[in-house]
Amino acid sequence: MTCFYYAIGTGNDFLKDLGKEVGCEPFSVKEYMKDLPLVEINGKKTRFLNGIGFGIDGYCCEEGDKQKAASDKPVNYTAIAIKGLLFHYKPKNATVTVDGKEYRFKKAWIAATMKGRYYGGGMMNAPAQDRLAEDGEVTLVLFYGKGKLKTLIAFPSIFKGEHVKRTNMVAVLKGKDIRVRFDAPSALQIDGETVLNVTEYGVKAGKTVLV
């Protein structure tokens, strides 16, 4: 069976990752549906197409859901992120395991695992990620270690993928088996769908999962 993709909505990170634009003709996505990574949260497993956001990005989705429930006005996620960074969101300490190797990060603002390059409506979070890579690896990207103001100043560089050059506050790790644990609960998003009160998630690259 062949599946076709027709772009609707406002984010279209999947479309952007493929170098296509809104309004293009529907196209087959059969090759992109193979070997999708599997995320496990609180014992529940699901596949994802673009990425997992954990930290301030999950917080933005949580706050955006609240605004949608209260009003018909468009949600300004950039404004939510700025207010969250400055006032409302508190960074967590993160323990990360990638293919069996453990890392620890203090003041983790974001710990996102990516199948594609884009998420969050146009942020190039993982500029080197290839969703059709033969090895099936995914990319974990962390903003960490800095205070509110320095993180806020650096954050806009994510839209062009230039944040990865800031190696003193951004870590990029690739692998097939990734686990992220925060020392306090935070919201998480899976392709834009919010999951509340999460302390840990695990991702296995699609080629390693037998289901």
Side-chain angles (χ1 to χ4, degrees):
M1 183 178 67
T2 301
C3 297
F4 286 84
Y5 183 85
Y6 180 74
I8 59 174
T10 58
N12 290 309
D13 292 307
F14 176 67
L15 196 73
K16 192 175 184 69
D17 194 34
L18 302 186
K20 297 180 180 292
E21 297 181 355
V22 174
C24 69
E25 291 293 321
F27 58 93
S28 173
V29 293
K30 184 177 181 180
E31 64 179 324
Y32 302 109
M33 297 298 105
K34 297 178 181 178
D35 301 318
L36 290 177
L38 191 76
V39 58
E40 181 175 0
I41 304 167
N42 298 331
K44 296 182 179 180
K45 299 178 181 180
T46 187
R47 302 279 182 177
F48 65 93
L49 183 64
N50 291 317
I52 306 296
F54 195 28
I56 189 71
D57 38 3
Y59 164 84
C60 288
C61 288
E62 178 184 8
E63 292 301 308
D65 290 346
K66 292 177 182 178
Q67 291 187 18
K68 289 176 184 178
S71 172
D72 293 330
K73 295 180 180 180
V75 176
N76 188 330
Y77 286 99
T78 301
I80 293 174
I82 292 172
K83 291 179 182 178
L85 281 166
L86 289 177
F87 306 113
H88 305 300
Y89 184 79
K90 294 182 179 180
K92 314 295 191 290
N93 294 323
T95 301
V96 171
T97 305
V98 179
D99 293 343
K101 185 174 181 179
E102 185 176 280
Y103 306 82
R104 294 181 183 272
F105 299 90
K106 294 183 177 180
K107 291 185 178 180
W109 294 92
I110 290 175
T113 298
M114 306 294 295
K115 173 64 173 176
R117 293 177 295 162
Y118 293 89
Y119 80 156
M123 293 187 287
M124 193 191 295
N125 191 35
Q129 174 64 20
D130 179 3
R131 65 171 61 248
L132 293 180
E134 185 63 29
D135 58 17
E137 287 187 335
V138 291
T139 301
L140 174 64
V141 181
L142 295 106
F143 264 88
Y144 72 98
K146 302 299 181 183
K148 296 178 180 180
L149 188 57
K150 287 185 177 180
T151 302
L152 180 60
I153 292 171
F155 189 76
S157 62
I158 197 173
F159 285 94
K160 293 185 178 181
E162 294 178 351
H163 60 299
V164 298
K165 298 177 183 178
R166 300 172 183 266
T167 55
N168 65 331
M169 62 187 303
V170 176
V172 179
L173 303 168
K174 293 179 69 70
K176 297 181 180 180
D177 189 345
I178 293 174
R179 185 159 296 275
V180 178
R181 184 173 71 250
F182 280 179
D183 64 354
S186 185
L188 175 148
Q189 62 87 12
I190 308 171
D191 287 340
E193 297 298 320
T194 311
V195 183
L196 301 178
N197 298 317
V198 177
T199 55
E200 184 175 356
Y201 76 87
V203 169
K204 290 186 180 294
K207 290 182 181 293
T208 67
V209 182
L210 299 177
V211 293

